[in-house]
Amino acid sequence: AHIHNVKVNLAINILFKNSELQSALDTIVQAYNLGVDSFIIQDLGLAYLVHTHYPQIEIHASTQASVHNIDGVRALEDVGCARVVVARELDKDSIKRICDEVDAEIEMFVHGALCVSQSGQCLFSSLVGGRSGNRGECAQPCRLPFACKKGENAYPLSLKDLSLAAHVPALIESGVASLKIEGRMKAPEYVRDTARIWRRLLDERRAAT
């Protein structure tokens, strides 16, 4: 990746039990020594430990940290987060205010699959199947068909993919440092082509038509 001038961010994006924290910390150190550039973390306790014991390691706060405001970003800065992926529900004015007021880089979702729940904080999978999304095991039951009264829509909980490609100039103006494309359960070709299109739109500073 580095040969091609590409950074590698590793998601350590679950909530940890006390007994798992040391193992998680060891995993991060090992991956850092192998060349990983930064780590995307949801668990604030883990972020604190990384920042305290290994301040040279770069931390990014996951969208599942559910940050909706300036004070939330500043709290994450205090535990060493250099970048914060803000909650998916924020409007453009809120994102711009955050970008203007904080030192951390701000990242936001712009394309791909969205979770039906607030900022990915869902317990549906754990309740119906014992597999928690906050433990990296979401079975995505919201994507399954359900019986509806109207009978026309068999997938009432499954959201359409997000695309903000028609708002590229506004995204640039907002001050966000990074744009997140969700490629979960997508073919590699989809991720490649989507990223390529977004790169071109950003370089040309224009919206998709």
Side-chain angles (χ1 to χ4, degrees):
H2 291 164
I3 289 173
H4 294 281
N5 198 31
V6 175
K7 290 184 177 181
V8 177
N9 303 329
L10 179 62
I12 309 290
N13 192 25
I14 66 171
L15 297 175
F16 290 93
K17 300 174 183 178
N18 288 331
S19 60
E20 298 168 334
L21 280 171
Q22 186 60 54
S23 177
L25 195 60
D26 293 342
T27 297
I28 288 174
V29 173
Q30 182 182 15
Y32 174 77
N33 290 333
L34 292 173
V36 171
D37 295 284
S38 63
F39 297 86
I40 304 169
I41 294 176
Q42 175 187 2
D43 193 297
L44 298 184
L46 179 62
Y48 171 81
L49 289 174
V50 173
H51 180 57
T52 300
H53 297 288
Y54 304 96
Q56 73 277 19
I57 295 179
E58 184 169 316
I59 306 169
H60 296 176
S62 163
T63 187
Q64 285 176 263
S66 298
V67 178
H68 295 81
N69 52 52
I70 293 168
D71 287 337
V73 175
R74 287 175 177 161
L76 288 167
E77 288 177 332
D78 289 341
V79 293
C81 293
R83 176 181 294 178
V84 175
V85 187
V86 292
R88 302 168 189 176
E89 304 80 45
L90 288 182
D91 60 66
K92 64 178 182 179
D93 292 335
S94 298
I95 292 173
K96 188 174 190 315
R97 281 197 297 272
I98 291 173
C99 291
D100 290 342
E101 294 290 334
V102 304
D103 295 324
E105 294 180 345
I106 299 301
E107 181 174 321
M108 64 174 289
F109 275 81
V110 295
H111 196 104
L114 290 179
C115 180
V116 69
S117 69
Q118 183 164 315
S119 204
Q121 297 293 328
C122 181
L123 298 176
F124 190 12
S125 180
S126 62
L127 287 171
V128 301
R131 296 171 56 184
S132 173
N134 291 313
R135 296 281 291 169
E137 299 176 333
C138 181
Q140 297 193 330
C142 60
R143 310 296 189 197
L144 301 176
F146 292 89
C148 300
K149 291 182 179 179
K150 294 182 179 179
E152 300 173 355
N153 182 7
Y155 298 87
L157 298 179
S158 184
L159 303 180
K160 293 181 179 178
D161 278 11
L162 170 73
S163 177
L164 297 181
H167 305 279
V168 169
L171 293 172
I172 295 173
E173 184 181 344
S174 72
V176 294
S178 179
L179 305 179
K180 191 173 186 68
I181 296 171
E182 175 62 72
R184 182 182 301 168
M185 299 183 72
K186 295 290 198 300
E189 293 79 10
Y190 171 94
V191 178
R192 178 201 63 202
D193 292 343
T194 302
R196 180 180 294 163
I197 291 168
W198 269 96
R199 181 71 269 164
R200 181 173 178 180
L201 292 173
L202 290 167
D203 290 343
E204 297 177 1
R205 303 180 71 88
R206 66 177 178 87
T209 57

